[in-house]
Amino acid sequence: MKNNIVKNLSTEESNGLNINRLFKQIVYYFPGTILPAFLGLLSTAVFTRLFGAIEYGQYSLVLNFSLLLTAILTQWLQQSINRYIPTATEPLARVELKNAIAGSLVLILAATVIVVLVLFLVHDKLLGNKWQPFFLPSMILVLGMSLFYPICIVLQAEMRAKEYAIFNLLNSIFRFVLSLLVVYLISSNVQALLWGAATSVLLLVPFLWHRVQLNLFSLICFKNVKTSWTLIKKFASYGIPLIGYYIAANLLNVGDRYIIQWLRGSREVGIYSASYNLVYGAVSLLSAPVLLAAHPFLMKSWSINDKELTGKWLGTIIEWFLTIGLLIVGAMWLLSRDLAKLLLGEQFYQGYIIIPVIVAGIIVWQIGLYAHKPLEFAKQTKIMMGVCLLSLLLNLILNIILVPSFGYLAAAYTTMISFSFYSIIVAIIGQKTVSWRVHWKRTTVNTLTILLLVILIFWSRLIIESRYGYLPGLFITIVELIILTCIIIWRNGYQIMFKSKFEESIDNNIC
């Protein structure tokens, strides 16, 4: 009886957090995601005008390699922080976890320095003359990101959304401003973008370390070293299998650019990367508040063994992503040419045709990040890695077959297909651990409504432009899209909130 009461109280508390605090956390995250998304768009607009397609393609390849190397070095710790911090309710347990995180960062820093030194010894032989200038700034960037990203994850795991948003916003601002300063005052080479990014994260790390209250003193003085080492091994046991997943996921996301470089050259890499970066950062960052805010709550629900509640929230979030994602894809189909003309340099404009395809792929991938949560919670990370590797293999095969004939257009479609493959397979397998459902009737009605209205908006734009010109047609299209978005969000938001309040009142009456 006592156990049942405790469980009911825990469930009620979790429900309350989900309904009230979750949405507050999402709101707090938005400034730190929307503004960086805007700065990302501005950065793409500025730097695709300052640099040519070949230079921008080289920068994109080096940046993606730096991100991949950072993921290899740090993802095991990032995932462990998100796994264990939200469930540590006792102050002493949290202090012990933070001591272990500090020790893990020291190990990561040492590993990063070793990797950089090894690469430094061999980079002359591995890199040609056109790639060697990228080596030093990219390695310093890896060093900074290896510290910055794991410490930021502590803020997310502790639900300190405001501080997380502030540091990410500062990083975006510093990165953009410093890159511009380096370009105009020091060097006009594309490597300046890497120097700006590296300087930004290194400047913020000391302040971030202080805010998170990580402590190296106990390790230096050999106080509680045994406890910290035990926790570090626990982190490694959970997180290291995820390294394989994140390597595969990163290559799945950017590997096609290396194939384009191999088969078609840097120019097409630049065009593809500019169009991809134009929307990838914006869409990912706009969806980030939900993922950042929801994970600790889902983790808490899982920790009290409330699979039903976890499943309800997964189903609700995925349903929202399907609906809002379709709206975004429709908007990109209508406005991709306008965005490319406004924000991209002349050499990159032709890539607008792949923007709706890229957005569709990103939305599907974001859904997959929720669909695999049951596997993540149950520590079935090997399954995640296996499915991701299969998706990567599918992507590789399709790109090798199609890119020689169709170029970067084929890469956009093969990426969307591979993302869809991953999301569908992990959703099916994950159902065995946590069962979740989407309200298919409502989702189908939303889908048909959006498709029909987007087509009508397209035809209305053609009619208005033919009679009154380009700007009136664009203005009316944007207004119609805003009205459509408000209608869909209001309708579904009202239904979901009414359902949540109804379920909450039933729970309260039962208690």
Side-chain angles (χ1 to χ4, degrees), residues 224-492:
N224 302 319
V225 171
K226 185 177 180 180
T227 301
S228 296
W229 184 245
T230 301
L231 288 172
I232 290 172
K233 289 192 290 185
K234 186 178 181 180
F235 292 167
S237 176
Y238 173 76
I240 285 178
L242 283 167
I243 293 177
Y245 162 77
Y246 274 96
I247 292 173
N250 191 282
L251 289 174
L252 182 59
N253 190 32
V254 303
D256 49 9
R257 302 178 201 195
Y258 296 96
I259 296 176
I260 296 172
Q261 169 71 26
W262 172 39
L263 297 173
R264 306 277 292 202
S266 295
R267 181 178 176 277
E268 288 207 16
V269 175
I271 295 171
Y272 179 76
S273 297
S275 299
Y276 201 96
N277 294 341
L278 184 66
V279 292
Y280 179 78
V283 175
S284 297
L285 287 170
L286 286 172
S287 61
V290 181
L291 184 61
L292 292 169
H295 183 88
F297 290 106
L298 291 170
M299 199 67 252
K300 284 180 179 292
S301 299
W302 177 263
S303 69
I304 62 172
N305 200 29
D306 197 336
K307 292 185 179 181
E308 183 180 355
L309 178 63
T310 306
K312 284 181 180 179
W313 271 104
L314 278 174
T316 300
I317 291 169
I318 289 172
E319 181 180 327
W320 267 86
F321 261 97
L322 285 168
T323 302
I324 302 302
L326 188 59
L327 275 171
I328 296 173
V329 172
M332 290 299 101
W333 183 62
L334 291 168
L335 301 174
S336 60
R337 185 179 57 179
D338 309 287
L339 286 172
K341 186 178 291 185
L342 176 65
L343 296 174
L344 296 180
E346 186 177 346
Q347 296 183 47
F348 303 87
Y349 167 71
Q350 60 187 289
Y352 80 88
I353 59 174
I354 65 172
I355 287 178
V357 184
I358 291 170
V359 171
I362 296 168
I363 296 295
V364 172
W365 178 251
Q366 293 292 326
I367 290 171
L369 296 181
Y370 289 99
H372 76 207
K373 285 295 178 186
L375 300 176
E376 187 178 331
F377 293 155
K379 300 182 182 180
Q380 296 176 324
T381 53
K382 291 181 180 178
I383 296 176
M384 291 167 53
M385 182 178 68
V387 177
C388 201
L389 286 172
L390 285 176
S391 304
L392 177 61
L393 180 62
L394 174 64
N395 184 260
L396 179 65
I397 293 171
L398 290 175
N399 273 308
I400 290 174
I401 293 172
L402 299 174
V403 165
S405 300
F406 302 101
Y408 59 84
L409 179 63
Y413 278 99
T414 57
T415 298
M416 183 183 68
I417 292 169
S418 303
F419 283 169
S420 301
F421 175 83
Y422 176 81
S423 298
I424 292 169
I425 298 301
V426 294
I428 293 171
I429 298 174
Q431 289 285 337
K432 298 177 182 178
T433 303
V434 175
S435 178
W436 54 268
R437 295 289 182 271
V438 168
H439 194 296
W440 287 113
K441 181 179 179 181
R442 180 166 60 220
T443 303
T444 302
V445 170
N446 287 334
T447 300
L448 294 175
T449 302
I450 293 168
L451 288 175
L452 176 62
L453 291 179
V454 165
I455 292 172
L456 290 175
I457 292 171
F458 172 75
W459 284 109
S460 70
R461 179 176 183 177
L462 290 180
I463 294 171
I464 293 170
E465 282 191 3
S466 65
R467 294 182 180 180
Y468 304 105
Y470 171 76
L471 287 178
L474 176 61
F475 176 77
I476 295 298
T477 299
I478 293 174
V479 171
E480 289 172 338
L481 279 172
I482 292 172
I483 293 172
L484 171 60
T485 303
C486 291
I487 291 171
I488 294 295
I489 290 177
W490 178 84
R491 177 178 177 272
N492 289 275

Side-chain angles (χ1 to χ4, degrees), residues 177-215:
V177 172
L178 290 171
S179 296
L180 279 178
L181 289 175
V182 175
V183 168
Y184 282 107
L185 300 179
I186 300 174
S187 171
S188 59
N189 295 323
V190 75
Q191 297 93 320
L193 306 186
L194 296 171
W195 281 114
T199 307
S200 173
V201 290
L202 288 173
L203 283 174
L204 291 172
V205 163
F207 299 98
L208 189 56
W209 186 289
H210 174 71
R211 291 301 303 168
V212 172
Q213 297 178 321
L214 296 180
N215 183 17

Side-chain angles (χ1 to χ4, degrees), residues 10-141:
S10 300
T11 304
E12 184 180 351
E13 179 187 1
S14 187
N15 267 313
L17 285 172
N18 278 315
I19 292 170
N20 301 310
R21 196 176 175 192
L22 174 63
F23 287 106
K24 290 180 181 178
Q25 291 281 300
I26 292 172
V27 170
Y28 291 152
Y29 276 119
F30 260 106
T33 53
I34 290 180
L35 293 177
F38 172 76
L39 285 172
L41 290 175
L42 183 61
S43 176
T44 302
V46 170
F47 294 125
T48 54
R49 285 170 168 80
L50 291 177
F51 301 107
I54 293 176
E55 292 174 296
Y56 196 83
Q58 291 174 331
Y59 158 73
S60 176
L61 291 174
V62 173
L63 178 63
N64 287 318
F65 174 78
S66 301
L67 292 170
L68 174 61
L69 186 55
T70 303
I72 294 171
L73 292 165
T74 67
Q75 276 297 333
W76 66 275
L77 179 58
Q78 292 188 50
Q79 296 307 309
S80 297
I81 292 169
N82 248 336
R83 176 69 175 81
Y84 294 110
I85 287 285
T87 59
T89 55
E90 296 295 328
L92 179 60
R94 188 154 292 193
V95 168
E96 291 176 344
L97 283 170
K98 287 192 175 182
N99 289 339
I101 291 168
S104 300
L105 287 170
V106 172
L107 293 176
I108 288 173
L109 187 61
T112 305
V113 171
I114 292 171
V115 170
V116 170
L117 289 175
V118 171
L119 291 175
F120 176 76
L121 293 174
V122 300
H123 82 283
D124 286 335
K125 298 178 181 178
L126 295 178
L127 303 177
N129 290 331
K130 70 176 183 178
W131 296 103
Q132 286 187 10
F134 291 95
F135 176 78
L136 184 58
S138 65
M139 291 301 99
I140 294 176
L141 177 60

